[in-house]
Amino acid sequence: MQIDQDTRVFGLIGYPLAHSLSPFIHNLAFKAMGVNAVYLPFPVKPGRVSSVVNGARALGIRGFNVTIPYKESIIPYLDRVSLEAEACGSVNTVLIEEDRAVGYNTDGRGFMDSLEQEGVKVPRLAIILGAGGAARAIGYQLAVRGSITVFLNRTPERAEKLARDIARITGQESWGKSWDSSCISDFVQDAELLINTTPVGMYPDIDQKPPFVLKNLNSRSVVADIIYNPLNTRLLREAEGLGLKTISGLGMFVNQGVRSWEMFTGREAPRKLMEDRLRGLLLKNET
Ligand code: ATR
């Protein structure tokens, strides 16, 4: 790749950033599509987030992604956030156009894209394990499409608050409970989709799974995980063993990246290439 005065710079802010795969998929797509741009990891030390937007403006950086721990704390430094980012209270993509910095959140739509790609219809009732930022982004997208959402979480107060917020913002029915609550069996029976948004089962703790009894789901339920390392989490392996359809977190990760890449470049991203190459890399790391 030739770097010259026209090379546009994009990147990812977060801390720490050691294992992020975003630079891999973004740079691969720039190269494949002949876009004169680079995507760099910017590990921003705690306490420095207040300088990021002005720094990017000064350097002519036209866009960047945001990851843990800055998805919420970046918001006060932006000129505007999209409706969706506002509802989620978190931003994963920032675009700077004519000096105005606007925040978006592509996580929830990235998940919805992967449901569609897998031929899964918007569920009537979805159970979401977890009540953090990813649960909120996915829950919001499901609710605006008409799903009833049930958040089950280790800390029930967080799930209750998230359900109240989702119901208020979208007008859809939403519930929040402890994940070992005894009064969830009706929800479990009716759930068409179960999604794990917690890090339980993620590398290196690959033998763990959320304490949810899959065999109580009905046989038409789909089980999704947003973890993509490993590709096949213990939760998904158990679901497969019960004959349930499963969806790994790879699609959501690629799709949120595709949406950001398209916002950065104004072009269609080579989604299949990005997904295939990332799957190849993850499978190589697993062996
Ligand atoms: P993100 O923004 O990536 O969703 P987060 O806001 O830190 O991350 O939320 C992580 C979610 O995973 C939370 O629901 C958290 O549960 P608590 O609200 O009880 O903290 C859940 N979580 C994280 N580690 C967990 C663990 N070891 N066991 C169970 N739940 C866990």
Side-chain angles (χ1 to χ4, degrees):
M1 189 195 73
Q2 181 84 36
I3 292 192
D4 56 28
Q5 74 267 26
D6 296 324
T7 304
R8 284 180 290 160
V9 179
F10 299 96
L12 170 68
I13 69 154
Y15 198 82
L17 278 183
H19 299 296
S20 174
L21 292 167
S22 291
F24 176 77
I25 55 168
H26 280 266
N27 286 316
L28 151 75
F30 289 144
K31 190 163 171 222
M33 302 302 285
V35 177
N36 187 0
V38 289
Y39 184 103
L40 302 171
F42 295 114
V44 172
K45 292 222 170 80
R48 287 269 166 100
V49 68
S50 57
S51 321
V52 165
V53 175
N54 269 338
R57 277 197 191 99
L59 295 172
I61 291 174
R62 305 256 286 273
F64 57 89
N65 289 123
V66 184
T67 188
I68 293 163
Y70 302 126
K71 285 182 164 189
E72 292 160 21
S73 53
I74 191 80
I75 293 178
Y77 304 102
L78 302 173
D79 295 299
R80 190 171 73 78
V81 293
S82 70
L83 267 182
E84 189 176 352
E86 191 181 333
C88 298
S90 75
V91 157
N92 78 337
T93 306
V94 174
L95 286 189
I96 302 179
E97 276 168 351
E98 291 170 3
D99 259 12
R100 280 177 61 77
V102 183
Y104 301 87
N105 189 314
T106 65
D107 288 332
R109 281 180 201 260
F111 178 77
M112 297 310 296
D113 291 343
S114 78
L115 279 193
E116 195 181 321
Q117 284 149 10
E118 294 286 338
V120 173
K121 285 200 311 241
V122 174
R124 223 173 43 78
L125 193 151
I127 293 181
I128 300 172
L129 304 180
R136 184 175 284 261
I138 291 172
Y140 171 76
Q141 288 297 333
L142 286 167
V144 294
R145 287 167 175 77
S147 298
I148 298 169
T149 46
V150 182
F151 297 93
L152 302 182
N153 198 40
R154 176 177 64 179
T155 314
E157 298 76 24
R158 249 184 123 189
E160 286 159 15
K161 159 131 190 11
L162 177 50
R164 278 197 303 276
D165 288 352
I166 294 284
R168 179 174 43 80
I169 297 167
T170 67
Q172 268 299 327
E173 191 176 335
S174 183
W175 298 88
K177 305 248 173 235
S178 160
W179 60 16
D180 37 43
S181 162
S182 54
C183 54
I184 56 173
S185 52
D186 287 352
F187 291 133
V188 175
Q189 269 291 316
D190 291 344
E192 291 171 350
L193 178 66
L194 174 96
I195 311 141
N196 174 42
T197 71
T198 77
V200 182
M202 186 155 64
Y203 179 85
D205 300 315
I206 60 171
D207 291 330
Q208 294 189 10
K209 73 171 260 277
F212 183 88
V213 185
L214 288 173
K215 70 173 171 37
N216 295 335
L217 289 170
N218 71 65
S219 60
R220 298 172 313 281
S221 304
V222 175
V223 177
D225 208 322
I226 70 162
I227 294 171
Y228 54 87
N229 189 11
L231 284 171
N232 232 343
T233 57
R234 185 169 154 207
L235 180 78
L236 295 188
R237 292 198 309 272
E238 284 194 17
E240 258 162 31
L242 292 166
L244 303 175
K245 179 176 173 63
T246 61
I247 302 178
S248 86
L250 180 71
M252 174 176 168
F253 179 71
V254 170
N255 292 328
Q256 61 77 29
V258 160
R259 283 182 174 269
S260 294
W261 194 92
E262 292 182 345
M263 289 161 80
F264 292 154
T265 62
R267 296 178 56 173
E268 191 178 337
R271 194 189 67 79
K272 184 161 182 341
L273 176 79
M274 292 157 86
E275 181 167 341
D276 288 350
R277 292 282 296 278
L278 188 59
R279 182 182 290 108
L281 183 75
L282 290 167
L283 286 174
K284 202 168 93 194
N285 290 350
E286 274 179 29
T287 52

